[in-house]
Amino acid sequence: MTFAIDGWFAIDHDGVRLIGTRCAGCGTICFPPRHGLCPDPRCGGTDLRELRLPGRGRVWSYTNACYPPPPPYVAAEPYEPVTLAAVELEEAGIVVLGQVEGLTVEDLEVGMELELTSGPLADGPQVWMWRRAS
């Protein structure tokens, strides 16, 4: 299986999980995973440890993309609009943007629970996506 972005998410027996990092000094969690300096400007720590982020969250905001992104994105022909959601992972204290599978903006509402899944992009690689929580 080819991932759209190596090292940002994993698919295994536990399902789909985003991979982030947590600063050992201050506890700041970030996605995508980082190496080097903690993203909290008050910290200055450099010990960022990988962790798997929660697989569920609540819609913080959403929109649709009615036109294809520019290259290097490979769009399907003909292009079909996609729904995007910013999902708050409350346990991690962060918001993660992703494509939504099988739902339109008319189906979504702020606060609605979504869960991680994955699906192929138009050119084949797998990417994380959000779907209605079961």
Side-chain angles (χ1 to χ4, degrees), residues 32-98:
R34 295 177 61 133
H35 304 286
L37 193 61
C38 175
D40 184 337
R42 300 166 294 185
C43 177
T46 58
D47 185 6
L48 301 176
R49 299 177 183 178
E50 188 176 285
L51 78 151
R52 290 184 177 230
L53 297 171
R56 289 176 173 258
R58 298 204 175 272
V59 174
W60 185 77
S61 184
Y62 57 91
T63 191
N64 57 2
C66 292
Y67 58 90
Y73 182 84
V74 177
E77 291 291 335
Y79 177 75
E80 293 186 28
V82 296
T83 304
L84 303 169
V87 176
E88 182 178 18
L89 305 178
E90 292 179 20
E91 295 170 34
I94 62 173
V95 176
V96 177
L97 182 67

Side-chain angles (χ1 to χ4, degrees), residues 22-40:
R22 178 192 322 259
C23 176
C26 70
T28 295
I29 296 174
C30 57
F31 176 83
R34 295 177 61 133
H35 304 286
L37 193 61
C38 175
D40 184 337

